[in-house]
């Protein structure tokens, strides 16, 4: 079985984290985003540990969401006629790939897409479909009147003949390819079970973490930290050090080699590899990038995002600061702003 993961784009919405690593390699719940889907040098160790073959198909100009499939055609087609997956790299979910394969076999169409239900469909492109068969009728972009509440979840299972529809040029699979397949009654949609989140920007990244940890609580509760100083769902790498009298949670992820000193308060945040949080600091609703430091008695909140190697001095305050990598912060950030 083959899968193509779309990792193009500049990751601007998740800066400053993507100034240090490509977005698919940014940590989410203590492992790179791309590893949640798996299924260059950074990928070689994943090949060995997962026992799979990873091929990097490089584009020299932005090719949209369909062009990369044409670019990787020779890799995707092996003569077997088997379908292949296409996944967006900045989506987190339970990845019901086996159920999707069964659904694809059942309907006998050319392409399957996953859809997810949303509360406010007017913000998205809505997939209008038959509720019983799953056959897609059409797509409606940001409808002003209700036509449905299901949107494209960014996961597809395609027969090889779909590649014959895609030219070697920048192309949108959602706007140029899928509508044509739907017109021929060969496109079907399966409703996503469980949670789904596009984690391409900080606010949604933290929401996605909350949903992921809730799912982990149901499926693998042994992976979460428990104890008298833990509230709700907390994921901590084994190599992290946590001091006394801390209060951690809910919805917190602490990465490898982190040091959390005495009396620290953490809530709704991600602390990435090698971060040091000094005594009695407080971090709420924020992301602290690799090898950064939060000083003692400092307070960080309101969607603050520190890039790699950012150091906040003792007793400082960050209110929604977005700080680019390799910075020393010696004055408080009193209102949301970007520090170059």
């Amino acid at each position: 079985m083959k899968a193509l993961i779309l990792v193009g784009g500049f990751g601007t919405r998740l800066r400053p984290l993507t100034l240090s690593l490509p977005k698919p390699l940014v940590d989410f719940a203590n492992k790179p985003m791309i590893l949640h889907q798996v299924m260059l040098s950074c990928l070689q160790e994943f090949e060995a540990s997962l026992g799979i073959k990873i091929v990097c198909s490089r584009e020299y100009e932005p090719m949209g969401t369909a062009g990369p499939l044409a670019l990787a055609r020779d890799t995707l087609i092996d003569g077997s006629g088997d379908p292949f997956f296409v996944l967006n790299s900045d989506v987190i979910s339970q990845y019901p790939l086996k159920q999707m394969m069964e659904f694809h076999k059942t309907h006998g169409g050319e392409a399957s897409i996953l859809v997810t239900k949303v509360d406010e469909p007017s913000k998205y492109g809505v997939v209008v479909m038959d509720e019983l068969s799953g056959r897609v009728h059409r797509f409606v972009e940001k409808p002003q009147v209700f036509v449905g509440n299901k949107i494209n979840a960014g996961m597809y299972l395609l027969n090889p003949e779909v590649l014959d529809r895609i030219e070697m040029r920048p192309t949108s699979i959602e706007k140029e390819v899928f509508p044509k397949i739907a017109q021929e009654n060969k496109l079907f949609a399966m409703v996503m079970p469980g949670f789904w989140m596009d984690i391409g920007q900080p606010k949604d990244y933290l929401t996605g973490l909350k949903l992921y940890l809730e799912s982990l609580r149901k499926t693998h509760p042994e992976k979460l930290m428990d104890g008298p100083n833990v509230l709700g769902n907390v994921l901590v790498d084994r190599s992290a050090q946590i001091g006394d009298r801390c209060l951690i949670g809910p919805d917190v992820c602490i990465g490898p080699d982190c040091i959390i000193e005495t009396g620290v308060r953490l809530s709704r945040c991600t602390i990435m590899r090698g971060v040091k949080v000094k005594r009695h600091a407080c971090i709420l609703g924020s992301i602290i990038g690799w090898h950064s430091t939060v000083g003692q008695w400092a307070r960080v909140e309101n969607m603050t995002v520190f890039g790699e190697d950012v150091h906040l001095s003792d007793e400082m305050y960050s209110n929604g600061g977005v700080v680019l990598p390799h910075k020393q912060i010696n004055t408080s950030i009193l209102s949301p702003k970007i520090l170059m």
Side-chain angles (χ1 to χ4, degrees):
M1 194 79 197
K2 296 185 177 182
L4 185 143
I5 301 177
L6 298 171
V7 298
F10 297 105
T12 54
R13 296 181 303 160
L14 205 53
R15 286 178 181 171
L17 302 175
T18 49
L19 295 176
S20 297
L21 284 175
K23 184 166 61 176
L25 297 181
V26 170
D27 295 325
F28 179 85
N30 284 348
K31 58 184 178 182
M33 290 183 188
I34 199 168
L35 276 196
H36 288 272
Q37 299 169 317
V38 177
M39 26 179 231
L40 332 161
S41 56
C42 290
L43 297 179
Q44 289 175 353
E45 60 182 276
F46 302 157
E47 279 190 314
S49 62
L50 298 172
I52 63 174
K53 177 65 176 175
I54 298 177
V55 177
C56 184
S57 175
R58 184 176 180 183
E59 59 182 20
Y60 292 88
E61 64 172 322
M63 295 286 282
T65 53
L69 277 69
L71 198 63
R73 180 187 179 98
D74 292 342
T75 301
L76 293 170
I77 293 183
D78 56 11
S80 67
D82 291 338
F84 58 89
F85 285 101
V86 177
L87 311 172
N88 283 320
S89 65
D90 53 2
V91 166
I92 193 74
S93 76
Q94 294 175 330
Y95 300 106
L97 303 183
K98 289 184 178 180
Q99 299 99 302
M100 197 173 180
M101 288 172 63
E102 291 301 318
F103 173 74
H104 189 76
K105 292 176 183 177
T106 300
H107 67 65
E110 194 171 303
S112 299
I113 67 174
L114 275 181
V115 296
T116 186
K117 296 179 181 178
V118 294
D119 294 330
E120 297 184 51
S122 61
K123 293 182 178 180
Y124 306 92
V126 173
V127 180
V128 181
M129 56 183 280
D130 184 280
E131 296 294 333
L132 295 178
S133 68
R135 184 170 66 84
V136 175
H137 298 300
R138 67 187 190 279
F139 298 85
V140 181
E141 188 66 24
K142 297 182 179 179
Q144 298 306 303
V145 296
F146 184 83
V147 294
N149 65 344
K150 299 176 185 67
I151 66 169
N152 184 348
M155 284 178 262
Y156 319 129
L157 186 55
L158 311 178
N159 287 350
E161 55 263 33
V162 172
L163 295 175
D164 296 332
R165 300 175 178 269
I166 303 173
E167 300 177 13
M168 185 68 76
R169 61 176 179 83
T171 317
S172 167
I173 196 168
E174 298 85 1
K175 296 180 180 179
E176 299 180 60
V177 180
F178 284 159
K180 293 179 180 178
I181 301 176
Q183 287 177 0
E184 298 175 15
N185 298 325
K186 295 180 179 179
L187 180 65
F188 291 80
M190 172 183 144
V191 179
M192 166 81 72
F195 74 96
W196 174 91
M197 197 71 205
D198 178 337
I199 55 173
Q201 54 187 341
K203 179 176 180 291
D204 295 334
Y205 178 103
L206 291 179
T207 300
L209 178 65
K210 177 180 185 295
L211 296 173
Y212 177 80
L213 295 179
E214 287 175 352
S215 175
L216 210 56
R217 173 66 69 184
K218 296 175 184 177
T219 57
H220 296 286
E222 72 281 0
K223 294 184 178 181
L224 297 176
M225 182 180 180
D226 287 310
N229 296 331
V230 175
L231 299 175
N233 299 321
V234 174
L235 180 65
V236 180
D237 187 85
R238 292 180 180 179
S239 63
Q241 303 175 41
I242 298 179
D244 298 330
R245 300 190 300 278
C246 293
L247 184 58
I248 301 176
D251 308 322
V252 170
C253 177
I254 300 174
D257 304 319
C258 290
I259 298 175
I260 311 298
E261 293 187 349
T262 299
V264 166
R265 175 71 175 110
L266 303 176
S267 175
R268 307 183 317 280
C269 61
T270 285
I271 312 297
M272 293 187 174
R273 176 187 294 273
V275 167
K276 185 174 185 178
V277 183
K278 294 185 178 180
R279 295 182 299 119
H280 305 293
C282 177
I283 303 175
L284 310 174
S286 298
I287 302 172
I288 309 300
W290 311 270
H291 309 292
S292 294
T293 304
V294 176
Q296 61 184 6
W297 293 102
R299 185 179 181 92
V300 176
E301 63 184 353
N302 192 24
M303 211 56 63
T304 288
V305 183
F306 286 175
E308 181 182 14
D309 186 38
V310 170
H311 304 281
L312 183 69
S313 296
D314 295 348
E315 302 181 17
M316 294 296 104
Y317 174 54
S318 176
N319 175 23
V322 176
V323 185
L324 274 62
H326 314 299
K327 295 288 186 296
Q328 175 72 44
I329 307 300
N330 296 318
T331 58
S332 291
I333 305 170
L334 300 179
S335 60
K337 64 179 179 179
I338 299 173
L339 272 69
M340 304 293 287

